[in-house]
Amino acid sequence: QVKPASNSLLMFHKKLSILIALALVSAKVSAQTSEALPFIRIGHDASREAMAGAGSLSGASAAWASYDNAALSVVGDSRLSVAAGYQRWAPDGSNYINAGASYKIGERIGFSAGASYGAGTPYDVYSSTGAKNGSFTPNQYLLNIGAGVKILPFLSAGVNLHSASQALAEGHSHGTIFGDLFVMGNFGGFKAGLGILSVGTPVYSESGDKFNIPSSTRLAAAYEGVVGSVFAYGAYLDADYYLFSSSINAAAGIKLEYNSLIHIMAGYNYGSANAVIPSHASVGIGASFAGIALDAAYLLASETLGGSLMVGLSSSF
């Protein structure tokens, strides 16, 4: 049975509108903001997402340095860090496969790279006459390269370059190139950082309308320490001010570790009106053995993100 053209077109536009509104996902975009490709700001490191996205100064995230803070590639004692992860975002069930690595040359230079591919829920595609032509799966990718340098024993800096593209309908894709600059200082157990993230070319619609990507300035702080010989802890704070929407994301998280074997994490991320990442809480657990770490994070307390799950496997040498 052939569906009336008007009904099929209405169905197509309705589904496409839903996909665009979800923006493939995890990063809810308000209709009042002009920011495009919000998926470039979602996190991919399960250990950080277990702290609601806080922890951009954590040396444990060195493998993910190319995603925002390239200075991590020269922080810590490890020469090589590698990681891979999987994410399933609620409520639409989009799936991401992610990878990252960093390598330190000597004591002052580091390089990093990463890649992420995401796929949304397939939907049926109809012709103008109402005939079903098949289906389409929305998708997007993110590619990163970065470099870090230790300027002083306590001061490091890094830059990243990214390429991103998103296709929400067949024959309709949008992409951009953008970069990050991050500076961080390590003063014993206290760390502080300042960065400007996701600065790059805007996205243009087919009609020529201009949409800026979610660029931000970030202030970050962390305090890490040990108690006795078996307990370690970390407290992290990351705050982003988005330059084009004037919105704010502020994430705070904690990590508690026992005997370098088991660690638990929790956090909360506040998102103001029009913020790329909506307010949510998160919890997580991880285990480390023989230089390999397995982390899992679960997002909750959010209508948009609640129920999202991610896992990550990492190793340092």
Side-chain angles (χ1 to χ4, degrees):
Q1 181 179 359
V2 178
K3 299 181 181 179
S6 59
N7 290 341
S8 63
L9 287 175
L10 180 61
M11 180 183 301
F12 174 80
H13 287 301
K14 181 178 180 181
K15 289 183 177 180
L16 185 57
S17 297
I18 292 173
L19 288 166
I20 293 174
L22 289 175
L24 272 180
V25 157
S26 65
K28 177 183 176 184
V29 180
S30 167
Q32 299 179 14
T33 181
S34 62
E35 291 173 323
L37 306 182
F39 74 90
I40 67 175
R41 296 308 301 264
I42 67 174
H44 301 287
D45 177 5
S47 66
R48 282 180 56 183
E49 293 312 300
M51 300 186 294
S56 62
L57 302 181
S58 172
S61 296
W64 304 99
S66 67
Y67 285 84
D68 56 3
N69 180 9
L72 289 177
S73 62
V74 290
V75 175
D77 299 326
S78 299
R79 186 70 56 192
L80 172 66
S81 297
V82 295
Y86 166 79
Q87 296 164 281
R88 182 173 179 82
W89 289 100
D92 67 333
S94 296
N95 297 280
Y96 283 77
I97 298 175
N98 317 301
S102 69
Y103 183 73
K104 184 166 63 171
I105 300 175
E107 296 301 322
R108 301 191 59 177
I109 302 295
F111 295 97
S112 55
S116 173
Y117 176 80
T121 303
Y123 63 87
D124 294 333
V125 177
Y126 295 90
S127 69
S128 59
T129 62
K132 182 178 177 180
N133 286 341
S135 63
F136 180 80
T137 301
N139 61 85
Q140 70 278 317
Y141 74 80
L142 176 64
L143 302 176
N144 322 307
I145 56 172
V149 59
K150 183 172 288 187
I151 303 170
L152 296 170
F154 60 88
L155 184 66
S156 302
V159 292
N160 285 323
L161 180 65
H162 312 270
S163 174
S165 181
Q166 181 179 54
L168 295 176
E170 190 170 3
H172 299 276
S173 63
H174 302 282
T176 186
I177 296 174
F178 60 100
D180 315 314
L181 171 63
F182 212 101
V183 178
M184 64 176 291
N186 190 341
F187 310 96
F190 177 74
K191 299 178 181 179
L194 174 64
I196 180 165
L197 308 180
S198 306
V199 176
T201 59
V203 174
Y204 292 89
S205 68
E206 293 184 0
S207 61
D209 294 328
K210 176 183 174 181
F211 297 89
N212 294 305
I213 61 174
S215 307
S216 74
T217 57
R218 174 176 294 176
L219 287 174
Y223 189 82
E224 299 170 328
V226 295
V227 178
S229 59
V230 294
F231 290 101
Y233 62 88
Y236 305 92
L237 177 64
D238 289 54
D240 284 89
Y241 175 78
Y242 290 90
L243 305 179
F244 298 107
S245 65
S246 298
S247 58
I248 295 173
N249 269 122
I254 58 172
K255 178 179 180 179
L256 302 175
E257 184 177 74
Y258 172 72
N259 206 28
S260 299
L261 293 175
I262 301 294
H263 48 273
I264 58 174
M265 299 144 302
Y268 183 79
N269 189 319
Y270 166 76
S272 66
N274 304 331
V276 173
I277 307 296
S279 297
H280 67 280
S282 63
V283 293
I285 189 170
S288 302
F289 181 74
I292 298 175
L294 176 65
D295 292 287
Y298 185 77
L299 276 57
L300 61 159
S302 168
E303 294 182 1
T304 307
L305 300 180
S308 297
L309 174 69
M310 59 201 71
V311 294
L313 189 66
S314 61
S315 183
S316 298
F317 307 92

